[in-house]
Amino acid sequence: MALDPVDEERGALRVLPGSHRDGVGPPVDFLQPGFVDPALSWGDDAVTVDAEPGDVVFFGPRLWH
């Protein structure tokens, strides 16, 4: 739930539409040396989820965010 207005400039949630259909990927160690966040390669495919105070966003655990 958003407590303050959020948009792309204020660090809004970004999701990759359709990524929930790709199935479960292999485990990833986000703390490993040299880890590169896959979100950096999403480019224009990602969607920013803007929110106003009181807005609630629900999504499934398989959606890349």
Side-chain angles (χ1 to χ4, degrees):
M1 179 165 62
L3 300 177
D4 295 308
V6 289
D7 56 22
E8 190 168 0
E9 291 180 7
R10 297 186 71 185
L13 177 72
R14 290 175 44 89
V15 299
L16 189 59
S19 60
H20 64 287
R21 296 186 192 117
D22 293 339
V24 178
V28 176
D29 181 0
F30 298 101
L31 301 177
Q32 70 182 347
F35 170 76
V36 177
D37 189 342
L40 298 175
S41 66
W42 292 355
D44 293 336
D45 294 335
V47 174
T48 301
V49 182
D50 295 341
E52 293 297 322
D55 287 351
V56 178
V57 178
F58 291 93
F59 55 90
R62 292 185 180 177
L63 181 69
W64 280 89
H65 60 283

Short mmCIF file of all heavy atoms in Angstrom, two decimals:
data_model
loop_
_atom_site.label_atom_id
_atom_site.label_comp_id
_atom_site.label_asym_id
_atom_site.label_seq_id
_atom_site.Cartn_x
_atom_site.Cartn_y
_atom_site.Cartn_z
N MET A 1 0.85 -1.16 0.00
CA MET A 1 0.00 0.00 0.00
C MET A 1 0.90 1.23 0.00
O MET A 1 1.85 1.33 0.77
CB MET A 1 -0.91 0.01 1.21
CG MET A 1 -1.79 1.24 1.24
SD MET A 1 -3.18 1.23 2.35
CE MET A 1 -2.43 1.09 3.92
N ALA A 2 0.58 2.16 -0.87
CA ALA A 2 1.36 3.39 -0.98
C ALA A 2 0.98 4.35 0.14
O ALA A 2 -0.20 4.58 0.40
CB ALA A 2 1.12 4.04 -2.32
N LEU A 3 1.98 4.88 0.80
CA LEU A 3 1.75 5.90 1.83
C LEU A 3 1.94 7.30 1.27
O LEU A 3 1.40 8.27 1.80
CB LEU A 3 2.69 5.67 3.01
CG LEU A 3 2.56 4.32 3.70
CD1 LEU A 3 3.59 4.20 4.81
CD2 LEU A 3 1.15 4.11 4.24
N ASP A 4 2.74 7.40 0.22
CA ASP A 4 3.01 8.66 -0.46
C ASP A 4 2.82 8.43 -1.96
O ASP A 4 2.88 7.30 -2.43
CB ASP A 4 4.46 9.11 -0.23
CG ASP A 4 4.74 9.44 1.22
OD1 ASP A 4 3.98 10.23 1.79
OD2 ASP A 4 5.72 8.91 1.77
N PRO A 5 2.62 9.51 -2.73
CA PRO A 5 2.54 9.33 -4.18
C PRO A 5 3.88 8.78 -4.71
O PRO A 5 4.94 9.23 -4.29
CB PRO A 5 2.29 10.74 -4.72
CG PRO A 5 1.91 11.57 -3.55
CD PRO A 5 2.46 10.89 -2.33
N VAL A 6 3.81 7.83 -5.61
CA VAL A 6 5.02 7.28 -6.22
C VAL A 6 4.84 7.25 -7.74
O VAL A 6 3.78 6.95 -8.25
CB VAL A 6 5.39 5.88 -5.69
CG1 VAL A 6 5.89 5.94 -4.28
CG2 VAL A 6 4.23 4.92 -5.80
N ASP A 7 5.91 7.58 -8.42
CA ASP A 7 5.96 7.51 -9.87
C ASP A 7 7.38 7.09 -10.25
O ASP A 7 8.19 6.75 -9.38
CB ASP A 7 5.54 8.83 -10.52
CG ASP A 7 6.38 10.02 -10.05
OD1 ASP A 7 7.51 9.81 -9.57
OD2 ASP A 7 5.90 11.15 -10.17
N GLU A 8 7.69 7.12 -11.52
CA GLU A 8 9.01 6.67 -11.98
C GLU A 8 10.13 7.46 -11.32
O GLU A 8 11.17 6.89 -10.94
CB GLU A 8 9.10 6.78 -13.49
CG GLU A 8 10.33 6.11 -14.06
CD GLU A 8 10.27 5.96 -15.56
OE1 GLU A 8 9.28 6.38 -16.19
OE2 GLU A 8 11.24 5.41 -16.11
N GLU A 9 9.95 8.74 -11.14
CA GLU A 9 10.98 9.58 -10.54
C GLU A 9 11.16 9.31 -9.05
O GLU A 9 12.22 9.56 -8.48
CB GLU A 9 10.65 11.06 -10.75
CG GLU A 9 10.77 11.50 -12.18
CD GLU A 9 10.44 12.97 -12.37
OE1 GLU A 9 10.24 13.67 -11.35
OE2 GLU A 9 10.38 13.41 -13.52
N ARG A 10 10.13 8.80 -8.40
CA ARG A 10 10.17 8.57 -6.95
C ARG A 10 10.33 7.10 -6.59
O ARG A 10 10.05 6.69 -5.48
CB ARG A 10 8.92 9.15 -6.30
CG ARG A 10 8.85 10.66 -6.49
CD ARG A 10 7.72 11.27 -5.75
NE ARG A 10 8.03 11.21 -4.31
CZ ARG A 10 7.19 11.58 -3.37
NH1 ARG A 10 6.01 12.03 -3.69
NH2 ARG A 10 7.53 11.51 -2.11
N GLY A 11 10.76 6.29 -7.55
CA GLY A 11 11.06 4.89 -7.26
C GLY A 11 9.87 3.96 -7.25
O GLY A 11 9.82 3.02 -6.46
N ALA A 12 8.93 4.18 -8.16
CA ALA A 12 7.76 3.31 -8.24
C ALA A 12 8.16 1.89 -8.63
O ALA A 12 9.20 1.65 -9.24
CB ALA A 12 6.76 3.85 -9.26
N LEU A 13 7.30 0.96 -8.27
CA LEU A 13 7.48 -0.45 -8.63
C LEU A 13 7.49 -0.58 -10.15
O LEU A 13 6.69 0.06 -10.84
CB LEU A 13 6.31 -1.26 -8.04
CG LEU A 13 6.27 -2.74 -8.36
CD1 LEU A 13 7.38 -3.46 -7.58
CD2 LEU A 13 4.92 -3.31 -7.96
N ARG A 14 8.39 -1.41 -10.67
CA ARG A 14 8.42 -1.73 -12.10
C ARG A 14 8.21 -3.22 -12.25
O ARG A 14 8.78 -4.01 -11.50
CB ARG A 14 9.74 -1.29 -12.73
CG ARG A 14 9.88 0.21 -12.81
CD ARG A 14 11.21 0.71 -13.32
NE ARG A 14 11.75 0.03 -14.46
CZ ARG A 14 11.51 0.38 -15.74
NH1 ARG A 14 10.74 1.39 -16.01
NH2 ARG A 14 12.05 -0.29 -16.73
N VAL A 15 7.38 -3.59 -13.21
CA VAL A 15 7.09 -5.01 -13.45
C VAL A 15 7.33 -5.33 -14.92
O VAL A 15 7.33 -4.45 -15.77
CB VAL A 15 5.64 -5.37 -13.05
CG1 VAL A 15 5.41 -5.13 -11.57
CG2 VAL A 15 4.62 -4.62 -13.88
N LEU A 16 7.52 -6.61 -15.19
CA LEU A 16 7.72 -7.09 -16.55
C LEU A 16 6.47 -7.87 -16.95
O LEU A 16 6.30 -9.03 -16.56
CB LEU A 16 8.96 -7.97 -16.63
CG LEU A 16 9.42 -8.37 -18.02
CD1 LEU A 16 9.74 -7.13 -18.86
CD2 LEU A 16 10.65 -9.25 -17.94
N PRO A 17 5.55 -7.22 -17.71
CA PRO A 17 4.29 -7.88 -18.06
C PRO A 17 4.53 -9.22 -18.77
O PRO A 17 5.41 -9.35 -19.61
CB PRO A 17 3.63 -6.89 -19.02
CG PRO A 17 4.21 -5.57 -18.66
CD PRO A 17 5.63 -5.88 -18.26
N GLY A 18 3.74 -10.21 -18.39
CA GLY A 18 3.82 -11.54 -19.00
C GLY A 18 4.88 -12.44 -18.43
O GLY A 18 4.93 -13.62 -18.75
N SER A 19 5.75 -11.91 -17.58
CA SER A 19 6.85 -12.72 -17.04
C SER A 19 6.34 -13.86 -16.17
O SER A 19 7.03 -14.87 -16.00
CB SER A 19 7.84 -11.86 -16.28
OG SER A 19 7.21 -11.20 -15.20
N HIS A 20 5.13 -13.75 -15.65
CA HIS A 20 4.56 -14.81 -14.81
C HIS A 20 4.27 -16.07 -15.62
O HIS A 20 4.10 -17.15 -15.06
CB HIS A 20 3.28 -14.33 -14.13
CG HIS A 20 2.18 -14.01 -15.08
ND1 HIS A 20 2.20 -12.89 -15.88
CD2 HIS A 20 1.03 -14.67 -15.36
CE1 HIS A 20 1.10 -12.87 -16.62
NE2 HIS A 20 0.37 -13.94 -16.32
N ARG A 21 4.24 -15.97 -16.93
CA ARG A 21 3.95 -17.14 -17.79
C ARG A 21 5.19 -17.96 -18.10
O ARG A 21 5.09 -19.02 -18.71
CB ARG A 21 3.33 -16.65 -19.10
CG ARG A 21 2.00 -15.99 -18.92
CD ARG A 21 1.38 -15.67 -20.28
NE ARG A 21 0.26 -14.79 -20.09
CZ ARG A 21 0.18 -13.56 -20.58
NH1 ARG A 21 1.17 -13.07 -21.29
NH2 ARG A 21 -0.88 -12.83 -20.35
N ASP A 22 6.37 -17.47 -17.74
CA ASP A 22 7.63 -18.14 -18.10
C ASP A 22 7.96 -19.34 -17.22
O ASP A 22 8.95 -20.01 -17.45
CB ASP A 22 8.79 -17.15 -18.05
CG ASP A 22 8.68 -16.08 -19.11
OD1 ASP A 22 7.96 -16.31 -20.11
OD2 ASP A 22 9.29 -15.02 -18.96
N GLY A 23 7.18 -19.60 -16.19
CA GLY A 23 7.48 -20.70 -15.29
C GLY A 23 8.51 -20.30 -14.26
O GLY A 23 8.99 -19.17 -14.24
N VAL A 24 8.85 -21.24 -13.42
CA VAL A 24 9.78 -20.98 -12.33
C VAL A 24 11.20 -21.16 -12.85
O VAL A 24 11.54 -22.19 -13.42
CB VAL A 24 9.52 -21.92 -11.14
CG1 VAL A 24 10.52 -21.69 -10.03
CG2 VAL A 24 8.09 -21.73 -10.63
N GLY A 25 12.03 -20.16 -12.65
CA GLY A 25 13.42 -20.23 -13.08
C GLY A 25 14.29 -20.86 -12.01
O GLY A 25 13.82 -21.19 -10.91
N PRO A 26 15.55 -21.04 -12.31
CA PRO A 26 16.47 -21.61 -11.32
C PRO A 26 16.69 -20.64 -10.16
O PRO A 26 16.52 -19.43 -10.32
CB PRO A 26 17.76 -21.81 -12.11
CG PRO A 26 17.68 -20.82 -13.22
CD PRO A 26 16.22 -20.68 -13.55
N PRO A 27 17.07 -21.16 -9.00
CA PRO A 27 17.36 -20.27 -7.86
C PRO A 27 18.49 -19.30 -8.21
O PRO A 27 19.40 -19.64 -8.96
CB PRO A 27 17.80 -21.22 -6.75
CG PRO A 27 17.42 -22.59 -7.19
CD PRO A 27 17.28 -22.56 -8.68
N VAL A 28 18.42 -18.10 -7.66
CA VAL A 28 19.42 -17.08 -7.92
C VAL A 28 19.97 -16.58 -6.59
O VAL A 28 19.21 -16.27 -5.68
CB VAL A 28 18.82 -15.89 -8.71
CG1 VAL A 28 19.84 -14.79 -8.90
CG2 VAL A 28 18.27 -16.35 -10.03
N ASP A 29 21.29 -16.52 -6.49
CA ASP A 29 21.94 -15.97 -5.30
C ASP A 29 22.22 -14.50 -5.55
O ASP A 29 23.19 -14.13 -6.20
CB ASP A 29 23.24 -16.72 -5.00
CG ASP A 29 23.94 -16.21 -3.76
OD1 ASP A 29 23.42 -15.26 -3.11
OD2 ASP A 29 25.01 -16.74 -3.43
N PHE A 30 21.32 -13.63 -5.06
CA PHE A 30 21.44 -12.20 -5.30
C PHE A 30 22.64 -11.58 -4.60
O PHE A 30 23.02 -10.46 -4.90
CB PHE A 30 20.16 -11.48 -4.84
CG PHE A 30 18.94 -11.92 -5.59
CD1 PHE A 30 18.05 -12.82 -5.05
CD2 PHE A 30 18.70 -11.43 -6.86
CE1 PHE A 30 16.92 -13.21 -5.76
CE2 PHE A 30 17.58 -11.81 -7.57
CZ PHE A 30 16.69 -12.71 -7.02
N LEU A 31 23.25 -12.30 -3.68
CA LEU A 31 24.39 -11.77 -2.93
C LEU A 31 25.73 -12.23 -3.48
O LEU A 31 26.78 -11.88 -2.94
CB LEU A 31 24.26 -12.16 -1.45
CG LEU A 31 22.99 -11.67 -0.75
CD1 LEU A 31 22.94 -12.18 0.68
CD2 LEU A 31 22.91 -10.16 -0.78
N GLN A 32 25.71 -13.03 -4.55
CA GLN A 32 26.97 -13.54 -5.09
C GLN A 32 27.78 -12.40 -5.71
O GLN A 32 27.21 -11.45 -6.27
CB GLN A 32 26.71 -14.61 -6.14
CG GLN A 32 26.11 -14.08 -7.42
CD GLN A 32 25.82 -15.16 -8.44
OE1 GLN A 32 26.28 -16.28 -8.30
NE2 GLN A 32 25.07 -14.83 -9.46
N PRO A 33 29.09 -12.46 -5.62
CA PRO A 33 29.92 -11.44 -6.25
C PRO A 33 29.69 -11.41 -7.75
O PRO A 33 29.55 -12.45 -8.39
CB PRO A 33 31.35 -11.89 -5.94
CG PRO A 33 31.23 -12.80 -4.77
CD PRO A 33 29.87 -13.45 -4.89
N GLY A 34 29.56 -10.24 -8.32
CA GLY A 34 29.36 -10.11 -9.75
C GLY A 34 27.92 -10.27 -10.20
O GLY A 34 27.65 -10.30 -11.40
N PHE A 35 26.96 -10.37 -9.26
CA PHE A 35 25.56 -10.51 -9.64
C PHE A 35 25.12 -9.29 -10.44
O PHE A 35 25.40 -8.15 -10.07
CB PHE A 35 24.68 -10.66 -8.39
CG PHE A 35 23.20 -10.59 -8.70
CD1 PHE A 35 22.56 -11.66 -9.28
CD2 PHE A 35 22.48 -9.44 -8.45
CE1 PHE A 35 21.21 -11.60 -9.58
CE2 PHE A 35 21.13 -9.36 -8.74
CZ PHE A 35 20.50 -10.44 -9.31
N VAL A 36 24.42 -9.52 -11.54
CA VAL A 36 23.86 -8.45 -12.35
C VAL A 36 22.35 -8.60 -12.33
O VAL A 36 21.82 -9.64 -12.71
CB VAL A 36 24.39 -8.50 -13.80
CG1 VAL A 36 23.74 -7.43 -14.64
CG2 VAL A 36 25.90 -8.37 -13.82
N ASP A 37 21.65 -7.57 -11.90
CA ASP A 37 20.20 -7.60 -11.81
C ASP A 37 19.58 -7.72 -13.20
O ASP A 37 19.83 -6.88 -14.06
CB ASP A 37 19.71 -6.32 -11.13
CG ASP A 37 18.24 -6.35 -10.78
OD1 ASP A 37 17.50 -7.19 -11.34
OD2 ASP A 37 17.83 -5.53 -9.95
N PRO A 38 18.77 -8.77 -13.45
CA PRO A 38 18.16 -8.93 -14.77
C PRO A 38 17.24 -7.77 -15.14
O PRO A 38 16.99 -7.52 -16.31
CB PRO A 38 17.37 -10.23 -14.67
CG PRO A 38 17.56 -10.78 -13.31
CD PRO A 38 18.43 -9.86 -12.54
N ALA A 39 16.74 -7.03 -14.15
CA ALA A 39 15.86 -5.90 -14.43
C ALA A 39 16.57 -4.82 -15.24
O ALA A 39 15.91 -4.02 -15.92
CB ALA A 39 15.33 -5.31 -13.13
N LEU A 40 17.88 -4.80 -15.22
CA LEU A 40 18.63 -3.80 -15.98
C LEU A 40 18.48 -4.00 -17.48
O LEU A 40 18.69 -3.07 -18.26
CB LEU A 40 20.11 -3.83 -15.59
CG LEU A 40 20.42 -3.48 -14.13
CD1 LEU A 40 21.91 -3.67 -13.86
CD2 LEU A 40 19.98 -2.07 -13.81
N SER A 41 18.10 -5.20 -17.91
CA SER A 41 17.96 -5.49 -19.34
C SER A 41 16.52 -5.41 -19.83
O SER A 41 16.26 -5.68 -20.99
CB SER A 41 18.54 -6.88 -19.64
OG SER A 41 17.74 -7.88 -19.02
N TRP A 42 15.58 -5.04 -18.97
CA TRP A 42 14.17 -5.01 -19.37
C TRP A 42 13.87 -3.91 -20.37
O TRP A 42 12.99 -4.05 -21.21
CB TRP A 42 13.26 -4.84 -18.16
CG TRP A 42 13.24 -6.00 -17.24
CD1 TRP A 42 13.83 -7.22 -17.39
CD2 TRP A 42 12.57 -6.05 -15.98
NE1 TRP A 42 13.59 -8.02 -16.32
CE2 TRP A 42 12.82 -7.33 -15.43
CE3 TRP A 42 11.82 -5.15 -15.26
CZ2 TRP A 42 12.31 -7.71 -14.20
CZ3 TRP A 42 11.32 -5.54 -14.04
CH2 TRP A 42 11.55 -6.81 -13.52
N GLY A 43 14.57 -2.80 -20.28
CA GLY A 43 14.37 -1.68 -21.21
C GLY A 43 12.93 -1.20 -21.25
O GLY A 43 12.27 -1.02 -20.23
N ASP A 44 12.41 -1.02 -22.47
CA ASP A 44 11.06 -0.50 -22.66
C ASP A 44 9.97 -1.54 -22.41
O ASP A 44 8.79 -1.21 -22.47
CB ASP A 44 10.91 0.06 -24.07
CG ASP A 44 11.75 1.30 -24.30
OD1 ASP A 44 12.07 1.98 -23.31
OD2 ASP A 44 12.10 1.58 -25.46
N ASP A 45 10.35 -2.79 -22.14
CA ASP A 45 9.35 -3.83 -21.87
C ASP A 45 8.74 -3.68 -20.48
O ASP A 45 7.64 -4.17 -20.23
CB ASP A 45 9.96 -5.23 -22.01
CG ASP A 45 10.39 -5.53 -23.44
OD1 ASP A 45 9.81 -4.93 -24.37
OD2 ASP A 45 11.29 -6.36 -23.62
N ALA A 46 9.45 -3.05 -19.57
CA ALA A 46 8.97 -2.90 -18.20
C ALA A 46 7.89 -1.82 -18.11
O ALA A 46 7.87 -0.88 -18.90
CB ALA A 46 10.12 -2.55 -17.27
N VAL A 47 7.00 -1.99 -17.14
CA VAL A 47 5.92 -1.04 -16.91
C VAL A 47 6.07 -0.50 -15.49
O VAL A 47 6.28 -1.25 -14.54
CB VAL A 47 4.55 -1.74 -17.05
CG1 VAL A 47 3.42 -0.81 -16.67
CG2 VAL A 47 4.36 -2.26 -18.47
N THR A 48 5.96 0.82 -15.36
CA THR A 48 6.01 1.45 -14.04
C THR A 48 4.61 1.49 -13.46
O THR A 48 3.66 1.86 -14.13
CB THR A 48 6.56 2.88 -14.16
OG1 THR A 48 7.86 2.83 -14.73
CG2 THR A 48 6.64 3.55 -12.80
N VAL A 49 4.49 1.07 -12.20
CA VAL A 49 3.20 1.05 -11.51
C VAL A 49 3.14 2.28 -10.60
O VAL A 49 3.64 2.25 -9.47
CB VAL A 49 3.03 -0.25 -10.70
CG1 VAL A 49 1.67 -0.28 -10.02
CG2 VAL A 49 3.22 -1.47 -11.60
N ASP A 50 2.55 3.35 -11.11
CA ASP A 50 2.38 4.56 -10.30
C ASP A 50 1.29 4.32 -9.27
O ASP A 50 0.39 3.51 -9.48
CB ASP A 50 1.97 5.74 -11.18
CG ASP A 50 3.05 6.14 -12.18
OD1 ASP A 50 4.22 5.76 -11.97
OD2 ASP A 50 2.72 6.82 -13.16
N ALA A 51 1.37 5.01 -8.15
CA ALA A 51 0.37 4.85 -7.09
C ALA A 51 0.17 6.14 -6.33
O ALA A 51 1.10 6.95 -6.18
CB ALA A 51 0.80 3.74 -6.13
N GLU A 52 -1.03 6.32 -5.86
CA GLU A 52 -1.38 7.43 -4.99
C GLU A 52 -1.55 6.90 -3.57
O GLU A 52 -1.76 5.70 -3.38
CB GLU A 52 -2.69 8.07 -5.47
CG GLU A 52 -2.58 8.76 -6.83
CD GLU A 52 -1.60 9.91 -6.82
OE1 GLU A 52 -1.54 10.65 -5.81
OE2 GLU A 52 -0.89 10.08 -7.83
N PRO A 53 -1.46 7.76 -2.56
CA PRO A 53 -1.63 7.30 -1.18
C PRO A 53 -2.93 6.50 -1.02
O PRO A 53 -3.98 6.92 -1.50
CB PRO A 53 -1.68 8.59 -0.37
CG PRO A 53 -0.86 9.55 -1.17
CD PRO A 53 -1.17 9.21 -2.61
N GLY A 54 -2.81 5.34 -0.44
CA GLY A 54 -3.95 4.46 -0.23
C GLY A 54 -4.12 3.41 -1.31
O GLY A 54 -4.85 2.44 -1.12
N ASP A 55 -3.45 3.57 -2.46
CA ASP A 55 -3.52 2.55 -3.52
C ASP A 55 -2.82 1.28 -3.05
O ASP A 55 -1.79 1.33 -2.36
CB ASP A 55 -2.85 3.03 -4.80
CG ASP A 55 -3.64 4.08 -5.54
OD1 ASP A 55 -4.80 4.34 -5.15
OD2 ASP A 55 -3.09 4.64 -6.51
N VAL A 56 -3.37 0.14 -3.44
CA VAL A 56 -2.80 -1.16 -3.11
C VAL A 56 -2.53 -1.90 -4.41
O VAL A 56 -3.38 -1.89 -5.31
CB VAL A 56 -3.76 -1.98 -2.22
CG1 VAL A 56 -3.19 -3.35 -1.91
CG2 VAL A 56 -4.05 -1.23 -0.93
N VAL A 57 -1.38 -2.53 -4.53
CA VAL A 57 -1.01 -3.29 -5.72
C VAL A 57 -0.87 -4.76 -5.34
O VAL A 57 -0.15 -5.09 -4.40
CB VAL A 57 0.33 -2.77 -6.31
CG1 VAL A 57 0.73 -3.59 -7.53
CG2 VAL A 57 0.23 -1.29 -6.65
N PHE A 58 -1.58 -5.62 -6.05
CA PHE A 58 -1.49 -7.06 -5.85
C PHE A 58 -0.90 -7.69 -7.12
O PHE A 58 -1.28 -7.30 -8.22
CB PHE A 58 -2.86 -7.68 -5.59
CG PHE A 58 -3.47 -7.32 -4.29
CD1 PHE A 58 -4.32 -6.24 -4.18
CD2 PHE A 58 -3.18 -8.06 -3.16
CE1 PHE A 58 -4.91 -5.90 -2.97
CE2 PHE A 58 -3.73 -7.73 -1.94
CZ PHE A 58 -4.61 -6.64 -1.84
N PHE A 59 0.00 -8.65 -6.95
CA PHE A 59 0.51 -9.40 -8.09
C PHE A 59 0.99 -10.75 -7.60
O PHE A 59 1.28 -10.94 -6.42
CB PHE A 59 1.63 -8.63 -8.82
CG PHE A 59 2.79 -8.23 -7.94
CD1 PHE A 59 3.88 -9.06 -7.78
CD2 PHE A 59 2.80 -6.99 -7.32
CE1 PHE A 59 4.95 -8.69 -6.98
CE2 PHE A 59 3.86 -6.61 -6.53
CZ PHE A 59 4.93 -7.45 -6.35
N GLY A 60 1.06 -11.71 -8.52
CA GLY A 60 1.48 -13.07 -8.18
C GLY A 60 2.98 -13.15 -7.96
O GLY A 60 3.75 -12.31 -8.43
N PRO A 61 3.42 -14.19 -7.24
CA PRO A 61 4.84 -14.32 -6.92
C PRO A 61 5.74 -14.60 -8.12
O PRO A 61 6.94 -14.44 -8.02
CB PRO A 61 4.86 -15.49 -5.93
CG PRO A 61 3.64 -16.29 -6.25
CD PRO A 61 2.63 -15.29 -6.70
N ARG A 62 5.18 -15.02 -9.23
CA ARG A 62 6.00 -15.31 -10.42
C ARG A 62 6.22 -14.10 -11.32
O ARG A 62 6.99 -14.17 -12.27
CB ARG A 62 5.36 -16.43 -11.23
CG ARG A 62 5.40 -17.75 -10.51
CD ARG A 62 4.88 -18.84 -11.39
NE ARG A 62 4.91 -20.11 -10.67
CZ ARG A 62 4.48 -21.22 -11.16
NH1 ARG A 62 3.97 -21.26 -12.38
NH2 ARG A 62 4.55 -22.33 -10.45
N LEU A 63 5.55 -13.00 -11.04
CA LEU A 63 5.72 -11.79 -11.85
C LEU A 63 7.04 -11.13 -11.47
O LEU A 63 7.27 -10.80 -10.31
CB LEU A 63 4.57 -10.81 -11.62
CG LEU A 63 4.62 -9.52 -12.43
CD1 LEU A 63 4.39 -9.82 -13.91
CD2 LEU A 63 3.60 -8.52 -11.91
N TRP A 64 7.91 -10.93 -12.47
CA TRP A 64 9.19 -10.26 -12.20
C TRP A 64 8.90 -8.81 -11.83
O TRP A 64 8.19 -8.12 -12.55
CB TRP A 64 10.11 -10.34 -13.42
CG TRP A 64 10.78 -11.64 -13.52
CD1 TRP A 64 10.32 -12.75 -14.16
CD2 TRP A 64 12.04 -12.01 -12.95
NE1 TRP A 64 11.21 -13.77 -14.04
CE2 TRP A 64 12.28 -13.34 -13.30
CE3 TRP A 64 12.98 -11.31 -12.20
CZ2 TRP A 64 13.43 -14.00 -12.91
CZ3 TRP A 64 14.12 -11.98 -11.81
CH2 TRP A 64 14.34 -13.30 -12.15
N HIS A 65 9.48 -8.39 -10.71
CA HIS A 65 9.27 -7.02 -10.23
C HIS A 65 10.54 -6.51 -9.57
O HIS A 65 11.43 -7.26 -9.28
CB HIS A 65 8.11 -6.96 -9.24
CG HIS A 65 8.32 -7.80 -8.02
ND1 HIS A 65 8.17 -9.16 -8.04
CD2 HIS A 65 8.65 -7.48 -6.76
CE1 HIS A 65 8.40 -9.65 -6.83
NE2 HIS A 65 8.71 -8.64 -6.02
#
